[in-house]
Amino acid sequence: MKMRGIILAVAALLYTPLLPAQSGDDGNTDSPELPFLDLRRVELISGDAAAGREKTQICANCHGPDGIAVVTEFPNLAGLSADYMYWQLIRYKRGVNPSPMTPLVADLSEQDMRDLSVYYASLPVPSAVPAGDEEPAGDLTPALLHKGKQLYLAGDPARGIPACQGCHGADARGPAAAHRILPGGQAPYAAYPALRGQHYGYLQTKLAGYRDGDMDDSTSGFVMTGVAETLDDDAIQAVAGWLSSLQIGASPTPTSPPIR
């Protein structure tokens, strides 16, 4: 059905989820009767980056000591939004859609998750994709990269594919309104991630997971599932390839002061 992704995205904004999540809760959100996290109603988190650094021993095995993943199947964490990472940890901890991360975060406290997220957000992003990265460059032809750029920036209305930049920013560094705070204290865009320079293999796996309905346990997941359902394998490869080909650059994800 044409424009299905856009329709689902609008529906998610109107949908009243079963679990209004607040970043000030105790992290105990694993009730099977409450499957959705309402990430439109969260507040910006805080944490202790220095304390987070002391808690990264296990994380570094996959995500590297500097937040740059050791293999392309794992995401880079350096410079990602602290709010995005925190809510990802909450999602893994809930275990609604079990993953290899679920047992790794089982013993993390609320403060642990905040501290780790703030620490990785504080790390500088590299100026370019790391040398030696095993991205399959031979598969990323100029035509495929051009297709990925077009899909990211403009979508494909004829196929119902919305533009990715609407949620992830024109430069793929996250939405410009990531730190916008509503009068009630909510930051509805805080949990949208930056994608620029992320690993090709990770992006492919993530998009395919959304398309297969494996990550529809939050309002953001609901939106992304609807969008990913409009993508075939070629489109996923193109978008993931283009994003991974971008130099990450010195500028981190948006860090402008809160807008009230």
Side-chain angles (χ1 to χ4, degrees):
M1 178 175 171
K2 291 184 177 181
M3 304 304 293
R4 185 162 184 256
I6 295 177
I7 292 171
L8 284 171
V10 173
L13 296 176
L14 300 176
Y15 175 73
T16 302
L18 298 175
L19 178 59
Q22 296 294 330
S23 60
D25 63 23
D26 61 4
N28 184 20
T29 56
D30 57 356
S31 170
E33 289 80 26
L34 303 174
F36 280 93
L37 288 169
D38 186 355
L39 299 184
R40 304 166 303 168
R41 301 179 181 178
V42 301
E43 300 173 359
L44 296 179
I45 72 160
S46 60
D48 185 332
R53 181 179 181 180
E54 300 302 316
K55 303 173 181 179
T56 61
Q57 292 89 342
I58 295 178
C59 310
N61 291 331
C62 294
H63 300 287
D66 54 0
I68 304 302
V70 296
V71 296
T72 64
E73 285 71 28
F74 304 138
N76 295 328
L77 301 182
L80 280 179
S81 159
D83 300 274
Y84 169 72
M85 288 186 281
Y86 169 80
W87 287 107
Q88 285 292 293
L89 289 172
I90 288 287
R91 175 181 164 270
Y92 289 130
K93 191 175 179 69
R94 294 173 72 221
V96 175
N97 300 119
S99 84
M101 279 290 296
T102 302
L104 297 178
V105 303
D107 294 330
L108 293 180
S109 69
E110 169 74 9
Q111 193 61 51
D112 290 338
M113 292 187 289
R114 290 169 177 267
D115 293 344
L116 285 166
S117 299
V118 170
Y119 168 67
Y120 279 112
S122 74
L123 295 177
V125 295
S127 59
V129 175
D133 199 326
E134 62 264 35
E135 306 289 7
D139 294 339
L140 304 182
T141 64
L144 185 73
L145 295 179
H146 178 74
K147 178 181 178 180
K149 179 179 180 179
Q150 289 297 109
L151 288 173
Y152 183 90
L153 295 176
D156 187 345
R159 296 171 57 191
I161 302 175
C164 308
Q165 68 162 310
C167 291
H168 299 285
D171 60 1
R173 290 192 173 101
H179 288 77
R180 182 178 181 183
I181 300 176
L182 301 183
Q186 299 90 357
Y189 309 105
Y192 292 4
L195 301 176
R196 187 181 187 89
Q198 192 56 263
H199 282 309
Y200 176 69
Y202 170 73
L203 290 171
Q204 280 193 301
T205 300
K206 196 79 168 177
L207 286 170
Y210 280 120
R211 186 180 61 186
D212 295 341
D214 294 338
M215 293 178 283
D216 58 352
D217 57 344
S218 70
T219 48
S220 295
F222 181 77
V223 172
M224 275 303 304
T225 295
V227 171
E229 284 177 348
T230 69
L231 304 176
D232 58 21
D233 289 343
D234 288 342
I236 286 177
Q237 184 182 22
V239 172
W242 182 69
L243 287 167
S244 70
S245 75
L246 299 177
Q247 289 196 347
I248 301 175
S251 299
T253 51
T255 55
S256 56
I259 302 172
R260 296 184 182 273

